[in-house]
Amino acid sequence: METSRINDPRTSPGRPAAGCDVVTVPARQGLEAVDILRRGPGDAVGPVLHDDGGDTLGFLVPPGTAAAWDVPGSTCTETGGRGLPLAPEPPGAGSDWLLPPGEADLATDPAVLREALGEAARMIKAADSCR
């Protein structure tokens, strides 16, 4: 798999802003990716949202990520600075923080997230094939 870094001149890599983009993935893959990122060096995972139904996780990534996001099984939404305050309260009804701002101050690097999601998908596929 080939990955690339997103370079957006509007924000320094990894720094969240009110306009962070959000990568949404199925909860199972997202939880695996969070574990992978937390085992990595440094602060590899930023704030992460989950929906109350437990179906999806949303990783905050730097603004501009949505323009080049192409990972199958996930979506990346550009917020344009609307509706995603980085506050302890969740940004909308029906969601809550898995990793709230403050515990995870930096937005997740899109290239690192892409790799973790790929590894998580491979782990899930391997686990499911053993059944």
Side-chain angles (χ1 to χ4, degrees), residues 56-70:
T56 62
L57 291 184
F59 292 83
L60 272 59
V61 293
T65 300
W69 191 257
D70 61 352

Side-chain angles (χ1 to χ4, degrees), residues 12-124:
S12 60
R15 289 279 172 215
C20 286
D21 291 351
V22 180
V23 172
T24 304
V25 299
R28 185 175 178 200
Q29 184 181 14
L31 291 170
E32 288 290 343
V34 167
D35 286 344
I36 292 164
L37 292 167
R38 291 187 106 181
R39 287 192 310 258
D43 296 325
V45 63
V48 178
L49 287 162
H50 71 84
D51 65 355
D52 283 341
D55 297 334
T56 62
L57 291 184
F59 292 83
L60 272 59
V61 293
T65 300
W69 191 257
D70 61 352
V71 176
S74 68
T75 59
C76 187
T77 306
E78 182 178 349
T79 64
R82 300 176 313 271
L84 257 178
L86 290 181
E89 299 82 30
S95 66
D96 202 358
W97 293 108
L98 177 68
L99 295 175
E103 286 182 32
D105 290 329
L106 302 177
T108 303
D109 181 302
V112 173
L113 179 58
R114 183 183 316 264
E115 291 175 23
L117 290 172
E119 183 177 340
R122 290 186 296 276
M123 290 172 62
I124 290 168

